[in-house]
Structure formats: structure tokens, C-alpha cells
Amino acid sequence: MINLVKLILKILPWLLVVGLLSWMLIQEKMSFSKERITEIETNTILTKVEQLGKMELVKYNFQEVTEIKKITSSIDFKLFKYKPLPDSKGVLISQGSAAGCIDLTRIKSSDIRPEGDTLYISLPKPEICYFKIDLEKSRLYDLQMDYMSQEDRRNFVQELYKVAEKQIQKSALESGILEQTKENAHSVLRPMLESISDKTIILSFELEGDLILSND
């Protein structure tokens, strides 16, 4: 009996060492497994987000009145000035639209940061996806270009449409389309990402200090 007790006391420290090492090995494997799951989960979310491409979040419609006028050079005869040709003029009443979007294909894995049950995602800056005129709903008025050649008339009208299109872009920016895109990312995109990831999503924007609001 005494010999048995001595044997047990002799091997007990070794049993404790083996048990401790086994516990540390199990913990390490569990930790490694958790890290791999997080990485796989992040990559899965990134893939699904990239598949959404450029996501249109707001669209503004405009009606614009655009006028351009080309002044013909005059000849100075000292006593008076003479214009060999009249000025040319054109007015375009146009309808058009501009859309604000976020290019989700630009999101990288480093832009997605998991912390427990929350994902922090840094989004690219909002941009205007497109601005265009609806040709079917746009009309030319007060065209004064009778003296022009056919090619000059065509170029004049094309310039008028280009000026009108740039005006739509300018009006969209002045109307706050980029800020509205941010707000809609909070109300539209965030719930979608929460559904994909089954986590709380906190959005921020590239090169911006403000966070687009959290879960409420």
C-alpha cells in the first residue's frame, strides 16, 4: 500500500504537466479555429458586397433651361462697327437626372473590421454615377443660326446639349446629392449588410471623420 502511494506521488507531477500541456494545446487550437472562422466570414461578406457593384442610392430629376449665345466678331471701320454675320443663339428646355451611388467593388478586406458581434465597414466616398439628359423630353427653342452651315449647326446644337448636361451635374451637387447618398447608405445599405452578415454594422466613409449612424 505504501509503495502504491509512493508511486502515485512520483507520477502525479508528470500527470499534471501532461494535463496542463493538453489544455494549452486545446486552447490554442480553439483560438486558431476562431480566427479562421472570422477570416472566412469576412471574406464571404466582402465577396457578397463586391457582387453588388456600384449601388445606386438616390436619384434626382431636374428640368433646366439652358441658353448659349455666340457673338459674331465685328469689323471696326473707325467711324462705325459692322457685323458681317448675325449672332447665333439657342435655348434648350431639358429634363434630366443624376444618380448618387457608392462603388462597393472598391471595398478591400482591410476595410472590414470585425469586433465581436459588430462589423466596422469603411465605404468609398459617395459619387455621382451618372448625369444625363432625357432627349425625348427635351426641346430646342429660339434657334437663331440660319446663316450657319449644316455642320456648324450640328456642332452648335451638340454644344448646347453638353452645356445643359453639365448644368445637371452642377445642380445635383448643389442640391446635396452626395450627402443624401450617405444618408441613404445608412437607411438602405446598412440593413442589407446586417442581413448578409447577421451582425451589427457600423458604417464610415473613406477620408471622412463622421460615422454614418449606428444601429437604432
Side-chain angles (χ1 to χ4, degrees):
M1 184 68 179
I2 294 173
N3 291 334
L4 179 61
V5 171
K6 288 182 178 180
L7 179 63
I8 292 173
L9 291 174
K10 186 178 292 186
I11 65 174
L12 183 59
W14 293 104
L15 291 174
L16 291 174
V17 170
V18 170
L20 180 61
L21 289 174
S22 298
W23 180 81
M24 291 175 64
L25 182 61
I26 291 170
Q27 287 293 104
E28 184 179 350
K29 285 185 176 180
M30 288 177 63
S31 175
F32 180 71
S33 176
K34 287 180 181 177
E35 289 177 3
R36 284 188 61 83
I37 289 171
T38 300
E39 183 65 28
I40 292 170
E41 180 182 83
T42 301
N43 288 339
T44 300
I45 293 166
L46 179 62
T47 300
K48 289 183 178 180
V49 168
E50 286 177 340
Q51 288 173 352
L52 295 173
K54 280 193 174 184
M55 188 171 188
E56 185 178 318
L57 291 165
V58 62
K59 183 178 180 180
Y60 283 6
N61 296 310
F62 298 95
Q63 181 166 329
E64 304 280 353
V65 178
T66 307
E67 177 180 345
I68 61 172
K69 191 174 184 179
K70 289 188 177 294
I71 307 299
T72 305
S73 300
S74 57
I75 302 173
D76 191 352
F77 286 106
K78 302 298 183 182
L79 296 177
F80 66 93
K81 291 182 179 181
Y82 170 70
K83 278 191 174 185
L85 296 171
D87 298 335
S88 54
K89 176 184 175 183
V91 177
L92 175 66
I93 299 178
S94 61
Q95 291 189 34
S97 59
C101 69
I102 295 174
D103 187 356
L104 299 177
T105 63
R106 291 173 50 202
I107 296 179
K108 306 179 292 295
S109 57
S110 58
D111 296 324
I112 303 175
R113 182 167 54 89
E115 286 191 12
D117 292 332
T118 303
L119 281 179
Y120 293 85
I121 301 178
S122 176
L123 296 175
K125 291 188 297 183
E127 59 185 82
I128 296 181
C129 309
Y130 64 81
F131 52 95
K132 62 182 180 181
I133 287 176
D134 187 337
L135 297 177
E136 293 184 358
K137 297 180 180 179
S138 302
R139 296 291 180 268
L140 290 164
Y141 293 91
D142 196 20
L143 286 176
Q144 299 176 16
M145 51 181 189
D146 293 338
Y147 71 92
M148 289 183 173
S149 66
Q150 188 172 355
E151 183 178 355
D152 287 341
R153 289 185 184 188
R154 183 171 58 252
N155 293 337
F156 184 79
V157 171
Q158 285 178 350
E159 183 180 353
L160 183 53
Y161 275 100
K162 286 180 181 178
V163 171
E165 224 172 29
K166 291 296 290 182
Q167 184 61 39
I168 287 176
Q169 181 191 32
K170 182 181 177 184
S171 296
L173 290 171
E174 291 175 349
S175 300
I177 192 171
L178 298 183
E179 288 302 315
Q180 189 63 52
T181 303
K182 280 187 180 183
E183 291 182 22
N184 288 4
H186 165 60
S187 59
V188 176
L189 181 57
R190 184 171 60 83
M192 184 183 301
L193 293 175
E194 287 181 338
S195 176
I196 291 173
S197 64
D198 198 27
K199 292 181 179 291
T200 299
I201 300 293
I202 305 295
L203 299 180
S204 64
F205 282 90
E206 180 184 52
L207 302 179
E208 297 289 341
D210 55 317
L211 286 177
I212 294 302
L213 302 179
S214 61
N215 193 30
D216 51 19

